[in-house]
Amino acid sequence: MDGITLSSGTRIPVLGLGVYQTPPGITERVVREAIEVGYRLIDTAQYYRNEAQVGRAVREALSQGMAREDLFLTTKIMASGHEESRRAIAESVAALDLGPIDLMLIHWPQEDGPGTWRALEEAVEAGRVRAIGLSNFYGQDLEEIIRGARIMPAVNQVESSVLYQQRRLMPALERHGIRLEAWGPLGQGRRGVLDDPVLARVARAHGATPAQVALAFQVRTGVITIPKTVSRDRMVENLGAADIGLSAAELEQLAALDTGRCIGWPGFPEQDYDPADHPFSPPA
């Protein structure tokens, strides 16, 4: 699978599996199946309460001959300030039990973002984490981290889909070499994202599904993409998006679908909303 080299020098697969809202009781099975069908990027978080299960599934794959360097593990900490964040980092490293974590993110803005970032930088320098980044950071929260960073964030993981392409955020990220990583790339099944006639038309041209085309658009425009599913068949379908080649004309048509408004997270009322207008985004 294609990968993207982050500013840290770490190479991350362009398409992975997210385990948000995957119950701990089935997470180990889901991650094991994801690795079996070809996923090499798994994204979890302390907030998801399934880090330990992700770690067990990965260790099983390693025991069967998978090389650790062929798998990329991301997690996110929910902490504020230097000391609290140092403890959170240690907890995630212990829960995953896989040695250095490939990428660790601040899950969402907290009161003392700079203190948390300093703890993450120290974790990189100590060899406990290979790359660090942000999730759900916009505006002043993002700039505050960038201004004080010794190590620049490698990614900012935010909601992004063919209908919400983060055009307001992208210039700030590009100025600092920060890559966009997408949660909710299929719109979480809301607002009929996959019913769009343009997606359907492009999908027919490629013998693909609208979901595959939505993901392929992200991949072909350089967005690291982590759809979530617990279905093995859907895992295979989503992973196949990485092999779909879209023409320049098709990419232009899909880019025109951008509404500039996010869909939000499960439980959030469906309405026009842009996190760039607000200081806080909830965890993904």
Side-chain angles (χ1 to χ4, degrees), residues 18-230:
V19 294
Y20 176 46
Q21 292 192 323
T22 301
I26 66 170
T27 296
E28 191 170 346
R29 184 268 299 172
V30 167
V31 174
R32 182 175 63 249
E33 291 183 351
I35 295 171
E36 288 171 356
V37 303
Y39 284 84
R40 296 297 178 261
L41 165 61
I42 307 296
D43 181 283
T44 184
Q46 287 185 344
Y47 181 79
Y48 305 168
R49 301 186 185 281
N50 56 20
E51 287 177 310
Q53 291 78 11
V54 169
R56 283 201 295 270
V58 171
R59 289 196 301 277
E60 180 180 344
L62 299 181
S63 73
Q64 296 175 357
M66 178 72 67
R68 175 64 183 87
E69 58 267 24
D70 291 336
L71 292 170
F72 195 102
L73 275 295
T74 300
T75 194
K76 314 173 195 77
I77 60 170
M78 42 186 296
S80 177
H82 183 254
E83 291 306 312
E84 183 179 321
S85 298
R86 288 182 64 189
R87 290 192 294 271
I89 291 166
E91 289 167 1
S92 280
V93 170
L96 285 163
D97 192 18
L98 294 166
I101 295 174
D102 298 296
L103 176 63
M104 184 176 282
L105 312 178
I106 303 177
H107 205 156
W108 65 91
Q110 297 283 330
E111 183 177 351
D112 183 9
T116 297
W117 191 252
R118 188 166 72 254
L120 285 175
E121 290 175 326
E122 291 170 357
V124 172
E125 292 160 355
R128 308 184 79 186
V129 178
R130 294 192 174 99
I132 53 179
L134 306 170
S135 181
N136 300 310
F137 273 68
Y138 296 87
Q140 292 183 350
D141 293 316
L142 176 62
E143 291 301 324
E144 182 179 45
I145 298 297
I146 289 171
R147 281 197 307 269
R150 298 197 315 272
I151 300 173
M152 195 59 59
V155 306
N156 190 12
Q157 185 185 116
V158 296
E159 181 186 350
S160 178
S161 69
V162 69
L163 296 189
Y164 182 50
Q165 297 170 26
Q166 290 288 3
R167 293 184 183 179
R168 292 180 63 188
L169 178 63
M170 282 302 296
L173 301 186
E174 290 172 349
R175 282 196 300 272
H176 299 284
I178 303 170
R179 299 304 299 239
L180 180 68
E181 185 172 24
W183 63 259
L186 296 176
Q188 304 171 81
R190 306 171 77 199
R191 286 197 184 175
V193 170
L194 300 182
D195 297 328
D196 186 273
V198 175
L199 278 176
R201 184 173 67 250
V202 175
R204 286 193 298 271
H206 289 271
T209 66
Q212 286 178 314
V213 170
L215 295 175
F217 173 78
Q218 300 276 75
V219 168
R220 296 305 168 200
T221 54
V223 177
I224 304 159
T225 304
I226 47 169
K228 177 253 180 173
T229 183
V230 300

